[in-house]
Amino acid sequence: MPKFRLLLQRTPVTDPEAIARGAQALLDRGSQVRLLTPRLWVYTPLVADYRRVTVTWAGPGAQPPAGWTAGPCLNGVQLLYSDTDAAPPDPVDNRGACEARLAWLRTAWPKLVVSAVVFGAALAALRWLFPGDLPLFLANGLALGFTLLVLLVLILQLCRLAALRRLTADTRLAYAHGSPPPPMPVLPAPLRGLVLALLLLSLVLMGFGSPTLLGMALGVLVSVLLQRCWQFSLLGKGVSLRSARRRTAFLTPLVFGVLLVFYLAGALPGQNPSRPVQAASYDGGQYEIYTDSLPLELWQLEPDLSDKLLWSRRLTRSRSPLLTATDCRQIPANGSGYYLEYRILDTALPPVQALVESALLADHPGALGGTNLFGQARYDGYDPVDPTPWGARAAYRLHWDDQMKNQYLLCWPGRVVEILLDHAPNEAQMATVAAALAPNP
């Protein structure tokens, strides 16, 4: 049998008298409250022969009256237990209650500010990690999910700061008029539902991006829950809260460290990265070779390749519910002059494809630059070309200044391909590229 129980409140309970009645009802059944929030109470069997329970207003660290033992506190509302027939504490007037509420608000304010700054910095760091490659960001479910999660927590913290500031102003006004402290603000039900939906969406996105890392995050979360349950069980055995926290402090760091070691070792289920194979060339040198299967390879474009070339073929893929990005690269490890690089971007959402095409074109705007011997020069940019040989809806070729490069942007319904070739392709090679990379009808 567990040594603790959870009591979920249907409606938030912040009224001192309602808290006292609920705590007394539990005391009559041989239990005492150990954690107090507006919606969740955690209670354990009695750790002493308590007979009475009451509430008072007290600031952080305030000493309980003689004959009473301090229980949990909720924003200035302090639970008190007594195992004697000690007289109840003197009632606190409205001004004293407001002073206790303000004292607790002063302790909560720095924590929320630090938390908001930390999550704001994390959001800025994510923006720095993906400064301009929008397709890469849209195809990274882990980045999308983590960004949404960080943004959600940041918004919640800012909302809590705004509510805290409003509550502080209302409490000061109540103190000036000698009125009772105002009720604590609670999150409306529609907003709680929206927060839950966004939280689930962020987990889905993270699962698309990296099921292994999502499993690690959930494993750490489970360890935190187990740690809390262990603490409550120790509380039920009469252990102090400080001692319970000290005894269980190792659990979450231990779980995180073990999972991190297994992840770095590539030993977690579902972790299957592309790994190079060390291979020897004809002259005895060692080369790092990838042997992934690619949808389009150089031999399909150039049949007369040397047999002495040692090819490295690498494929990496990232995906999210919005976009799947497949990066392919084929180069000779022991030669030069041949290379093939392309990126396939797949999406079933036309607005996302339009956004991706606009982002890729915007990365190479072809703006006017300085002047050279031939007149005004342009920076790199995509120029439209005839899409018919490619069998595409639209096709573009990259230029740098006044020189055309062998990099093309090809657009089919549901797929965008950016490909870099070692030389300008003829129509037969264009048809080969289209046959290999165009989406199936």
Side-chain angles (χ1 to χ4, degrees):
M1 295 291 291
K3 295 294 184 179
F4 68 94
R5 295 286 190 276
L6 305 178
L7 178 61
L8 294 173
Q9 308 288 353
R10 293 184 178 180
T11 57
V13 178
T14 58
D15 181 65
E17 295 183 1
I19 293 174
R21 289 194 300 268
Q24 184 63 54
L26 292 174
L27 182 62
D28 294 340
R29 299 201 301 265
S31 301
Q32 68 179 100
V33 179
R34 306 306 297 267
L35 177 67
L36 192 64
T37 70
R39 290 188 173 275
L40 174 66
W41 292 12
V42 177
Y43 60 96
T44 66
L46 293 173
V47 297
D49 188 20
Y50 292 130
R51 303 178 186 177
R52 306 170 61 188
V53 62
T54 188
V55 296
T56 187
W57 287 90
Q63 295 297 320
W68 293 87
T69 302
C73 186
L74 177 62
N75 205 0
V77 179
Q78 177 72 62
L79 267 180
L80 298 174
Y81 286 91
S82 176
D83 56 0
T84 66
D85 292 328
D90 296 332
V92 178
D93 60 11
N94 290 337
R95 289 183 180 272
C98 289
E99 288 178 349
R101 166 66 61 76
L102 290 172
W104 279 95
L105 291 176
R106 284 193 292 270
T107 62
W109 182 266
K111 298 177 182 178
L112 289 179
V113 171
V114 171
S115 178
V117 170
V118 168
F119 282 96
L123 192 64
L126 288 172
R127 179 66 183 89
W128 178 77
L129 289 175
F130 300 94
D133 199 336
L134 180 63
L136 177 62
F137 181 71
L138 293 178
N140 192 331
L142 182 63
L144 282 173
F146 193 69
T147 300
L148 179 60
L149 184 62
V150 171
L151 181 61
L152 177 61
V153 175
L154 177 61
I155 292 175
L156 285 176
Q157 297 297 79
L158 294 177
C159 290
R160 291 181 64 187
L161 281 172
L164 194 68
R165 183 175 182 179
R166 184 170 61 252
L167 181 61
T168 302
D170 293 343
T171 304
R172 287 173 178 169
L173 185 62
Y175 176 83
H177 291 84
S179 304
M184 291 174 54
V186 295
L187 206 61
L191 186 56
R192 290 201 310 273
L194 178 61
V195 169
L196 180 60
L198 293 178
L199 176 60
L200 294 176
L201 177 60
S202 67
L203 294 179
V204 170
L205 291 171
M206 292 172 66
F208 266 90
S210 177
T212 302
L213 289 180
L214 175 60
M216 290 180 59
L218 293 179
V220 173
L221 178 60
V222 169
S223 71
V224 172
L225 295 177
L226 291 177
Q227 184 182 35
R228 296 291 287 175
C229 292
W230 192 3
Q231 290 175 3
F232 296 145
S233 296
L234 293 175
L235 290 175
K237 297 177 181 179
V239 178
S240 67
L241 178 59
R242 178 177 296 180
S243 179
R245 289 176 175 173
R246 185 174 61 251
R247 293 186 188 184
T248 61
F250 72 93
L251 182 59
T252 298
L254 176 63
V255 171
F256 177 76
V258 171
L259 290 175
L260 183 61
V261 169
F262 277 96
Y263 177 78
L264 295 178
L268 292 179
Q271 193 174 357
N272 187 27
S274 176
R275 294 184 178 276
V277 177
Q278 296 294 332
S281 73
Y282 63 93
D283 58 358
Q286 293 292 324
Y287 297 92
E288 194 175 67
I289 302 298
Y290 291 87
T291 58
D292 300 333
S293 177
L294 305 181
L296 175 67
E297 297 187 14
L298 270 172
W299 65 264
Q300 297 173 258
L301 300 175
E302 302 179 27
D304 300 328
L305 294 175
S306 173
D307 295 335
K308 295 182 180 181
L309 292 176
L310 192 62
W311 295 105
S312 176
R313 298 179 298 274
R314 186 176 187 182
L315 182 147
T316 57
R317 179 176 286 116
S318 58
R319 67 191 188 106
S320 75
L322 301 178
L323 189 69
T324 299
T326 306
D327 289 277
C328 303
R329 185 184 185 192
Q330 182 182 6
I331 58 173
N334 58 344
S336 61
Y338 297 98
Y339 54 83
L340 175 63
E341 295 183 35
Y342 52 95
R343 176 165 61 169
I344 305 172
L345 304 171
D346 291 316
T347 178
L349 305 173
V352 175
Q353 179 170 358
L355 182 62
V356 168
E357 292 179 16
S358 299
L360 292 174
L361 292 174
D363 285 342
H364 306 279
L368 293 175
T371 59
N372 56 25
L373 295 176
F374 304 98
Q376 199 165 25
R378 294 193 300 171
Y379 298 122
D380 64 322
Y382 273 121
D383 289 337
V385 295
D386 183 14
T388 304
W390 302 97
R393 173 179 54 82
Y396 304 87
R397 186 176 182 181
L398 188 70
H399 70 259
W400 180 268
D401 287 345
D402 295 323
Q403 296 182 359
M404 303 304 294
K405 300 299 182 180
N406 299 319
Q407 179 170 323
Y408 298 86
L409 182 65
L410 311 174
C411 306
W412 291 280
R415 174 171 290 184
V416 177
V417 174
E418 198 170 26
I419 183 170
L420 175 62
L421 302 168
D422 56 6
H423 65 276
N426 54 40
E427 290 196 4
Q429 291 171 324
M430 293 180 186
T432 301
V433 171
L437 302 183
N440 296 324

